[in-house]
Amino acid sequence: PPTSPLNSPMASAAVDKDLAAQVVMQNMAATEAAWTSRSDVYEYGSAANPEMAPIPVLVHPPSLHESGPTRVIPFDIDDYLEIDHECTSPN
């Protein structure tokens, strides 16, 4: 007797692939749910890009270092930047 197309080996393979794909998708969804239930998301943008006062470009004339003993001349600009710690200008 002729076999039904639904009982053929090809139909069985197609059903198996569909079932396997469905099982894989369910496992992925379950894994994603488990991982996201235990995850924390941290916002870092404000720390990476803090609000800052403009950094001034100050002129340090030659007269500062042309005379006097050899020394380190601090170019402290913390008052310009409105911060509590010492910092120096980039020039």
Side-chain angles (χ1 to χ4, degrees), residues 4-16:
S4 165
L6 297 176
N7 294 332
S8 72
M10 295 296 286
S12 178
V15 170
D16 289 346

Side-chain angles (χ1 to χ4, degrees), residues 55-72:
I55 298 174
V57 176
L58 304 174
V59 176
H60 306 298
S63 60
L64 277 176
H65 56 82
E66 287 180 335
S67 62
T70 301
R71 64 199 181 280
V72 175

